[in-house]
Amino acid sequence: MKKGLKESIIFKVNSAHPQLEKIKNAANVIKQGGLVAFPTETVYGLGADGLNIKACSRIFSVKKRPANVPLILHIACKKHLFDLAKKIPREAKDLIDRFWPGPLTLVLPKSRIIPQIVTGGLDTVAIRMPNNPIALKLIKYAQTPIAAPSANLFRGHSPTCAQHVIDDLNGNVDIILDGGKTSLGIESTVLDLTVKPFKILRLGGIIEKDLRKILGKAKLADNRKKIKCPTNNFHPSVCSPGKMILVEKTKDQTSKMQELALQFRMSGKKVGVMATKENKNKFNGCVVKVIGSEKDLNTCALNLFSTLRSFSRENIDVLIAQGFKRKDIGLTIMNRLQKNIKKGSP
Ligand code: AMP
Ligand code: MG
């Protein structure tokens, strides 16, 4: 931590039964225009009063986030959607009934009470109800929608535990609510309901197949290959090794990874390998970290960002990442991995 900066106050909070006095303390900070980092089921959020322009502008400066990248508003009660959005399509209700609280963010036409700073000047607003008792209680007692992007520096990896937030933002946040590890570890799915057919803007915790079950096939644009969220591109020099190679899931994936690892090691490079448990003993002389089991991709998603973060402390020259089948949560993981690749990687 830099000299001169104060440290953030850190409250350990029981995630199943949050201690009310800690939550009320944090909620008061939000009410007074301060910043509170808190856990959701996806990742930790950097929260401010979503109706307070000054408070929201602090989010942008602390994260070093450009002003045109909009924030998601978090609510604790479904009916508050009607205060924040206008022209809510019928399908929104079905989606909310099925997926809220949960990792689905809906983009809707914004109501007048939402300041432009939240939406980056857009006429639409992104809203979700998180599925985490700490987050829900904090929003409830703050009595306001909480604007909360992920609590990391812009283009860094999303934080999945309080230590990640401390590493990135200590001293720049008033309170950090430490509720342990998040349960999903990957951000929400962002669904735009202002266009027809509806469109996934960001892959995330809710998979496309489950959205289609609710919406019907025709109502959701088939944009799997085009899904791109340019604002979420990582900057490898900030957060991860200089070079990352993503090896696609094919029959000869493991031998390809081994070949690459050997090649780099022969040229004197320190090689990192992010692999599944099943492959962990197959890369001699490399820094191997296990992301999870091939049989449990949800756990791989949960461990993704923390594993990438831990590689950035290893001083490796190249990271070889084991890819996953581009299906369901595997597709989301691949999307995040691709964003982590530096342009011009070998
Ligand atoms: P994060 O900052 O990690 O919470 O990510 C928020 C995501 O929601 C970003 O990818 C934004 O581009 C997206 N988002 C937020 N508001 C809107 C909006 N009004 N229209 C489209 N995308 C949005
Ligand atoms: Mg983010």
Side-chain angles (χ1 to χ4, degrees):
M1 148 137 218
K2 279 181 211 145
K3 264 192 180 164
L5 286 177
K6 70 177 172 69
E7 303 236 349
S8 303
I9 296 167
I10 300 162
F11 287 152
K12 284 228 181 266
V13 187
N14 184 311
S15 56
H17 305 286
Q19 297 89 330
L20 261 196
E21 99 247 23
K22 292 179 185 172
I23 297 289
K24 282 183 181 170
N25 207 316
N28 276 333
V29 166
I30 295 276
K31 279 183 182 173
Q32 287 158 21
L35 296 184
V36 175
F38 63 97
T40 75
E41 80 282 32
T42 60
V43 301
Y44 272 70
L46 174 61
D49 179 349
L51 303 182
N52 178 331
I53 296 172
K54 245 182 156 177
C56 289
S57 74
R58 262 189 83 194
I59 291 181
F60 287 91
S61 61
V62 160
K63 270 185 69 95
K64 303 189 182 9
R65 177 170 168 126
N68 62 354
V69 185
L71 306 174
I72 295 174
L73 287 182
H74 293 70
I75 57 177
C77 180
K78 291 178 185 176
K79 68 173 194 284
H80 287 152
L81 181 67
F82 297 91
D83 305 329
L84 304 176
K86 51 180 193 184
K87 280 195 260 163
I88 301 170
R90 185 178 41 81
E91 292 86 348
K93 189 179 173 305
D94 302 332
L95 291 165
I96 288 164
D97 284 346
R98 171 68 183 80
F99 297 114
W100 280 11
L104 177 66
T105 297
L106 298 178
V107 173
L108 292 159
K110 82 175 201 69
S111 79
R112 262 196 248 144
I113 63 165
I114 300 168
Q116 290 282 330
I117 189 164
V118 168
T119 63
L122 297 171
D123 295 332
T124 56
V125 60
I127 304 170
R128 91 171 184 104
M129 181 175 172
N131 188 12
N132 176 295
I134 298 174
L136 290 172
K137 284 231 154 63
L138 177 69
I139 302 163
K140 182 180 160 195
Y141 284 98
Q143 296 174 304
T144 187
I146 294 188
S150 50
N152 53 279
L153 293 169
F154 184 60
R155 289 184 160 157
H157 299 299
S158 293
T160 54
C161 65
Q163 188 57 51
H164 296 163
V165 182
I166 296 167
D167 292 343
D168 281 13
L169 301 177
N170 193 14
N172 291 326
V173 188
D174 299 297
I175 292 182
I176 298 171
L177 296 177
D178 179 355
K181 270 191 177 179
T182 62
S183 54
L184 281 172
I186 212 141
E187 302 90 340
S188 62
T189 298
V190 179
L191 178 67
D192 189 350
L193 295 183
T194 68
V195 291
K196 285 264 175 77
F198 305 136
K199 199 170 163 191
I200 295 174
L201 300 180
R202 177 175 76 184
L203 292 167
I206 301 289
I207 57 174
E208 184 181 329
K209 189 171 71 184
D210 290 338
L211 290 177
R212 282 195 195 284
K213 275 187 207 153
I214 302 295
L215 291 172
K217 201 169 178 352
K219 294 214 169 121
L220 188 60
D222 191 4
N223 62 349
R224 278 167 62 108
K225 297 219 171 69
K226 286 189 209 138
I227 289 171
K228 211 174 148 218
C229 222
T231 57
N232 277 350
N233 279 342
F234 298 130
H235 194 286
S237 65
V238 174
C239 56
S240 59
K243 287 182 174 134
M244 182 173 120
I245 303 170
L246 177 56
V247 182
E248 294 283 334
K249 175 87 185 151
T250 53
K251 274 192 187 141
D252 57 352
Q253 184 187 40
T254 308
S255 56
K256 268 190 188 160
M257 289 171 72
Q258 286 172 317
E259 234 171 80
L260 279 166
L262 188 64
Q263 220 172 300
F264 282 113
R265 279 184 52 223
M266 300 284 276
S267 60
K269 302 257 191 262
K270 186 172 176 189
V271 182
V273 178
M274 187 162 75
T276 56
K277 184 175 95 182
E278 291 78 1
N279 270 350
K280 73 172 180 190
N281 294 324
K282 297 180 183 164
F283 304 96
N284 288 335
C286 300
V287 180
V288 182
K289 289 183 192 282
V290 172
I291 183 173
S293 165
E294 252 160 68
K295 294 181 196 115
D296 180 8
L297 294 199
N298 287 325
T299 303
C300 295
L302 173 61
N303 293 332
L304 176 67
F305 291 128
S306 59
T307 312
L308 286 171
R309 268 179 190 259
S310 69
F311 272 117
S312 59
R313 292 189 290 271
E314 295 284 355
N315 210 17
I316 53 175
D317 299 307
V318 60
L319 174 62
I320 298 169
Q322 184 175 342
F324 296 90
K325 199 168 168 194
R326 291 173 185 272
K327 192 174 172 250
D328 301 339
I329 199 71
L331 183 65
T332 306
I333 299 173
M334 288 299 275
N335 169 272
R336 298 299 190 276
L337 283 169
Q338 279 181 308
K339 284 174 184 165
N340 199 43
I341 295 176
K342 187 180 181 184
K343 282 189 189 96
S345 284

